[in-house]
């Protein structure tokens, strides 16, 4: 099993790169953003509550996203060659919960791939996405709040994995193909070690 975390600020390209990597390595893509948007679209109780947080650029409560990931692991662990976690964990509490969920299945995280993108580039990308796709969490005010939440609550998650020698830093600006190539080089190092 190969279990990876794609990490980085909002709009750093986690979703974009994850969909390329799942094909190449035959992994299951678990995006908490996508799972939450599914709940919102289906107008479930969870989705209605989560929407308020998402529209403001705030994090959805830990127990909600941990519960979603726990269900997704139970439903898929037997049938895939590994997982790419995209947008999860976003807090240290989520990281610790993920370790526990995986260890109950005899699994562990192999590497956290951290995409580095400047704030100006992020704002530009997300405003462009807002024009193309119209996501409600892509106004400039909400994007700035999402960046603040990232700096204050999420960026430290990388330290949690650095302490376990599992952190790989990747330049997230530039040609998408080049970024994919750099991610693959890091993943191939795991396979060959
Ligand atoms: P996410 O869905 O995770 O949203 P994201 O950070 O915007 O996505 P990503 O980094 O994947 O960017 P993308 O590839 O789309 O989260 C949304 C919300 O859900 C959060 O704010 C929070 O409220 C909630 N949530 C999710 N997970 C949670 C958790 N674990 N705990 C609590 N709350 C949670 O790329 C963005 C754009 O850039 C795209 O338009 C893409 O085409 C473009 N792009 C990508 N790579 C590029 C490149 N190299 N050059 C130019 N453009 C590029």
């Amino acid at each position: 099993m190969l279990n990876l975390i794609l990490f980085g600020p909002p709009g750093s390209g986690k979703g974009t790169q994850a969909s390329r990597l799942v094909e190449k390595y035959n992994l299951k893509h678990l995006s908490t953003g996508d799972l939450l948007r599914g709940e919102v679209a289906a107008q479930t109780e969870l989705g209605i509550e989560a929407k308020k947080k998402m529209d403001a650029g705030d994090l959805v409560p830990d127990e909600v996203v941990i519960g979603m990931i726990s269900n997704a692991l139970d439903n898929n662990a037997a049938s895939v060659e590994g997982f790419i976690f995209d947008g999860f964990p976003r807090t240290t509490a989520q990281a610790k919960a993920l370790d526990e969920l995986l260890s109950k299945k005899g699994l562990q995280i192999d590497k956290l791939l951290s995409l580095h993108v400047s704030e100006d580039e992020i704002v530009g990308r997300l405003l462009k996405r807002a024009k193309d796709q119209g996501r409600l969490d892509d106004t400039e005010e909400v994007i700035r709040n999402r960046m603040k939440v990232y700096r204050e609550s999420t960026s430290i998650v990388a330290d949690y994995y650095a302490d376990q020698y599992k952190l790989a830093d990747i330049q997230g600006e530039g040609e998408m193909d080049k970024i994919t190539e750099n991610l693959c080089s890091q993943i191939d190092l795991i396979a060959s070690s």
Side-chain angles (χ1 to χ4, degrees), residues 59-62 65-66 87-99:
L59 294 180
V60 172
D62 285 339
V65 280
I66 291 166
F88 180 91
R90 260 178 159 95
T91 63
T92 307
Q94 291 180 18
K96 288 181 180 164
L98 178 60
D99 275 355

Side-chain angles (χ1 to χ4, degrees), residues 9-16 32-34 36-37 53-54 57-60 65 86-88 90 94 121 125-126 129 135 137 146 172 174-176 179:
S12 54
K14 302 181 292 289
T16 306
T32 39
D34 288 349
L36 287 166
R37 282 185 287 277
K53 297 283 184 192
M54 295 168 79
D58 291 327
L59 294 180
V60 172
V65 280
D86 159 8
F88 180 91
R90 260 178 159 95
Q94 291 180 18
E121 167 79 13
R125 281 185 192 181
L126 295 185
R129 185 171 69 182
R135 258 174 59 172
D137 59 353
R146 294 183 66 195
E175 285 293 313
M176 287 189 198
I179 298 166

Side-chain angles (χ1 to χ4, degrees), residues 37-48:
R37 282 185 287 277
E39 298 282 343
V40 172
Q43 296 192 312
T44 63
E45 207 177 307
L46 188 160
I48 290 164

Side-chain angles (χ1 to χ4, degrees), residues 87-144:
F88 180 91
R90 260 178 159 95
T91 63
T92 307
Q94 291 180 18
K96 288 181 180 164
L98 178 60
D99 275 355
E100 277 174 33
L101 289 170
L102 289 174
S103 83
K104 279 186 199 149
K105 297 186 185 307
L107 305 174
Q108 61 167 359
I109 290 298
D110 294 294
K111 202 167 262 191
L112 177 142
L113 301 154
S114 176
L115 292 167
H116 289 263
V117 179
S118 71
E119 184 155 342
D120 284 348
E121 167 79 13
I122 283 167
V123 174
R125 281 185 192 181
L126 295 185
L127 289 177
K128 182 174 180 304
R129 185 171 69 182
K131 245 195 215 161
D132 300 344
Q133 298 173 23
R135 258 174 59 172
L136 285 174
D137 59 353
D138 280 347
T139 65
E140 179 148 4
E141 188 191 353
V142 175
I143 295 165
R144 297 276 178 205

Side-chain angles (χ1 to χ4, degrees), residues 11-46:
S12 54
K14 302 181 292 289
T16 306
Q17 294 294 335
S19 39
R20 293 166 168 225
L21 298 176
V22 286
E23 264 184 47
K24 181 166 159 79
Y25 295 96
N26 201 17
L27 303 173
K28 174 76 183 168
H29 180 198
L30 289 183
S31 157
T32 39
D34 288 349
L35 290 171
L36 287 166
R37 282 185 287 277
E39 298 282 343
V40 172
Q43 296 192 312
T44 63
E45 207 177 307
L46 188 160

